[in-house]
Amino acid sequence: MAKQPNRQLSSADLDSLLSLRPGSVVDLQITTPTAPKRVKTQFVGIDLPTCLIFQVPSETKWGYLRDILIPENEVVVRYVLEGEQGKVIAFRAEVMKVITHPSPLLFVDFPASLQSLALRKHKRFTPGIQAQLSVSDAEQQISIQSMILDVSQQGCRCVCDATPDFPRLDNGKAVNLMIANDKELVCKGVVKNSSLTQSKCFYGIQFSSDAEIVKKLLDRFIVEI
């Protein structure tokens, strides 16, 4: 059964998507059983809010892609928006259909969200992920709401309010991060560094969780740009 069109994009994300012009070159990352494959192709158009259409990469050069561009397989699309606020846009989508006549075209479903990375450092933006930061202290567990500012397979950087109700954490302190109030998505880690402003505490945390838990975090919230 075909997926229902997604209409949850913010107006800013929708503007970024509609700024992608027919003929623009995009980077297409395709999921495979071994490792992701990345190729260049062209954007053809959009059927708002159902799908986006791209040229199927050249069969003479990328013929093997025909076997993996199949319905429900996942792709990541990346493209550059030029201008004063130049940035790289990325989103995940599922393959809906591939046709070969009259022209080889790839149809993917409408994305649920977009992520961006500014090309200029002072414009850099990283979307935050809500998380509950908790520690065990004096035979009790205390916690505080925090936000993950950036994350990788190895660890993350998060920020929380500086408050007397939650002590500043020393390097080496074991912590738990429950992501987006999901009790099945708890990442364990160790504080590696910290910094303090008048109102905020920043922590660099190295993950010690099972790799599969971290992968779930990255797969659910992060599009690698």
Side-chain angles (χ1 to χ4, degrees):
M1 181 180 294
K3 293 176 63 176
Q4 292 298 313
N6 189 294
R7 300 179 175 85
Q8 297 179 352
L9 286 183
S10 67
S11 58
D13 281 351
L14 188 57
D15 287 345
S16 293
L17 197 59
L18 294 176
S19 296
L20 183 57
R21 301 302 182 190
S24 299
V25 175
V26 302
D27 180 281
L28 192 66
Q29 178 178 308
I30 308 165
T31 300
T32 78
T34 53
K37 303 294 183 183
R38 294 179 65 166
V39 298
K40 299 291 186 184
T41 191
Q42 287 190 342
F43 175 65
V44 174
I46 183 171
D47 181 12
L48 188 69
T50 305
C51 64
L52 291 89
I53 308 167
F54 302 89
Q55 286 185 350
V56 174
S58 170
E59 187 172 358
T60 56
K61 187 176 181 181
W62 308 105
Y64 68 91
L65 293 179
R66 198 64 60 88
D67 296 330
I68 55 178
L69 285 175
I70 55 177
E72 298 186 2
N73 198 9
E74 185 178 74
V75 298
V76 175
V77 178
R78 298 177 178 85
Y79 60 95
V80 176
L81 285 185
E82 300 290 353
E84 182 179 352
Q85 296 190 14
K87 54 188 175 181
V88 178
I89 304 294
F91 61 85
R92 295 182 188 273
E94 286 187 1
V95 174
M96 298 176 68
K97 190 178 183 65
V98 173
I99 64 172
T100 56
H101 298 287
S103 179
L105 297 175
L106 166 67
F107 296 76
V108 304
D109 67 355
F110 204 72
S113 62
L114 271 62
Q115 292 194 9
S116 64
L117 181 68
L119 297 179
R120 297 166 179 83
K121 289 184 179 180
H122 66 282
K123 296 282 189 180
R124 187 180 180 91
F125 171 74
T126 305
I129 304 169
Q130 296 292 332
Q132 182 174 283
L133 175 65
S134 62
V135 296
S136 296
D137 191 40
E139 298 184 355
Q140 66 175 346
Q141 188 176 71
I142 56 176
S143 62
I144 190 171
Q145 290 300 314
S146 67
M147 179 174 289
I148 295 177
L149 301 176
D150 54 61
V151 62
S152 70
Q153 189 73 42
Q154 288 72 41
C156 70
R157 184 169 66 96
C158 67
V159 59
C160 62
D161 290 334
T163 168
D165 296 328
F166 191 86
R168 182 175 178 181
L169 304 179
D170 296 327
N171 291 353
K173 184 68 175 179
V175 299
N176 289 335
L177 282 166
M178 184 170 70
I179 311 301
N181 293 318
D182 185 344
K183 293 182 179 179
E184 296 185 356
L185 190 51
V186 177
C187 292
K188 298 179 180 180
V190 175
V191 175
K192 302 301 289 185
N193 57 73
S194 64
S195 60
L196 180 68
T197 67
Q198 286 188 334
S199 60
K200 300 292 181 182
C201 288
F202 295 82
Y203 295 108
I205 296 173
Q206 183 180 59
F207 290 138
S208 56
S209 280
D210 184 282
E212 284 302 313
I213 296 293
V214 179
K215 184 177 185 300
K216 285 182 181 179
L217 165 63
L218 297 176
D219 287 346
R220 184 176 303 183
F221 293 101
I222 301 299
V223 173
E224 182 185 352
I225 298 179

